[in-house]
Amino acid sequence: MQLFVGDDWSEEHHDVELMDPAGRRLSKARLPEGVAGIARLHAMVGDQLGDDIDESEVAIGIETDRGPWVAALVAAGYTVFAVNPLQAARFRERSSVSGAKSDAADAHVLADMVRTDSHQLRPVAGDSAEAEAVKVLARAHKTLIWERTRQTQRLRHALREYFPAALEAFDDLDAGDALELLGKAPDPASAARLTRGQITAALRNARRRDIETKTDRIQAALRGEQLGRAAVITAAYAATTRSAVAV
């Protein structure tokens, strides 16, 4: 599946929108500048493409052709188009009666431009040996993020089937504290037996803040009433959760 991304950038953040070939908005977000923002963008792309990931089918429009962010996009294997701001303004006038401008609207315009007018846009490319070396590392980084996203989605789906309290207890299933506690207690019964000390230790290992409040919330969620499954089914699901945690 092709994916079109509009990236309206500023020094502090990037407003992005993901669009499908029919022009339908799939997701949007405001991302911070830097490694954390790039990682989140990779995860958003991975969420949409699932197992059918092909970097070359991801087209990104952005109103610049330089800087670390653009270099990271190119190195990751995406097709990046440097959009002239005047081109974006003309496209906005063509597609909107009001011509109103906002960061989110600009991201939509850029995504739509690469979807319909990519033949008129200039792709950005790295052509040096150094650029190729960066591509190797950037693509590996992106692929690992995609794999983490995929594994987390599988874990979330399994927990929903037999242990929904875990989804209430843990905000981020790929966080260190959640994985540590799920590894120790991958089923409702063993999770309900987790002590405050065990939960607190996991939170400390993950360098969480406000540990006492988080410990109370997690323990209450894990010990609350919930619908369950037959013991043998729960045991089977628990085995898959242990495997997912190990991965």
Side-chain angles (χ1 to χ4, degrees):
M1 177 182 116
Q2 284 190 302
L3 196 63
F4 304 95
V5 182
D7 184 338
D8 184 66
W9 72 280
S10 69
E11 292 184 0
E12 293 82 20
H13 61 261
H14 294 253
D15 283 278
V16 300
E17 178 174 321
L18 277 61
M19 182 181 291
D20 70 9
R24 182 172 60 94
R25 176 191 295 151
L26 300 174
S27 64
K28 65 177 182 176
R30 172 164 288 187
L31 309 179
E33 172 69 23
V35 174
I38 283 288
R40 176 62 185 137
L41 178 58
H42 292 335
M44 290 174 67
V45 172
D47 281 340
Q48 296 300 329
L49 296 184
D51 293 334
D52 301 322
I53 290 174
D54 182 349
E55 302 95 328
S56 64
E57 293 187 350
V58 180
I60 301 177
I62 185 170
E63 291 179 303
T64 183
D65 62 353
R66 62 189 64 186
W69 183 276
V70 173
L73 295 177
V74 173
Y78 303 134
T79 302
V80 182
F81 293 97
V83 179
N84 186 298
L86 289 176
Q87 285 179 293
R90 297 294 178 267
F91 190 90
R92 188 185 305 109
E93 292 171 358
R94 189 179 83 192
S95 58
S96 173
V97 175
S98 68
K101 180 172 170 44
S102 70
D103 294 342
D106 286 349
H108 178 83
V109 165
L110 290 167
D112 213 21
M113 281 190 73
V114 295
R115 181 178 71 89
T116 63
D117 289 25
S118 61
H119 61 287
Q120 299 184 36
L121 302 176
R122 177 173 59 87
V124 179
D127 56 2
S128 66
E130 289 79 6
E132 292 298 322
V134 171
K135 284 182 183 179
V136 172
L137 298 178
R139 287 175 179 172
H141 177 227
K142 174 200 63 185
T143 298
L144 288 172
I145 291 171
W146 281 353
E147 289 295 334
R148 180 183 65 191
T149 300
R150 186 180 301 159
Q151 291 294 336
T152 302
Q153 289 172 337
R154 290 171 180 166
L155 176 59
R156 183 178 301 279
H157 178 75
L159 290 171
R160 187 181 296 114
E161 293 295 318
Y162 83 106
F163 189 8
L167 300 180
E168 181 182 347
F170 305 118
D171 296 327
D172 302 313
L173 288 179
D174 59 356
D177 51 325
L179 293 174
E180 179 179 341
L181 293 173
L182 285 172
K184 291 178 178 177
D187 62 86
S190 58
R193 292 194 297 270
L194 286 172
T195 66
R196 287 186 60 84
Q198 289 174 309
I199 296 172
T200 298
L203 292 170
R204 285 205 179 100
N205 291 339
R207 299 183 178 182
R208 294 290 192 180
R209 297 180 179 179
D210 197 14
I211 289 177
E212 290 300 318
T213 300
K214 287 184 171 65
T215 298
D216 290 339
R217 183 180 62 79
I218 291 172
Q219 190 171 58
L222 295 178
R223 292 184 176 182
E225 291 186 345
Q226 58 182 301
L227 297 176
R229 304 291 298 270
V232 65
I233 296 176
T234 297
Y237 271 117
T240 68
T241 294
R242 288 193 188 93
S243 299
V245 168
V247 171

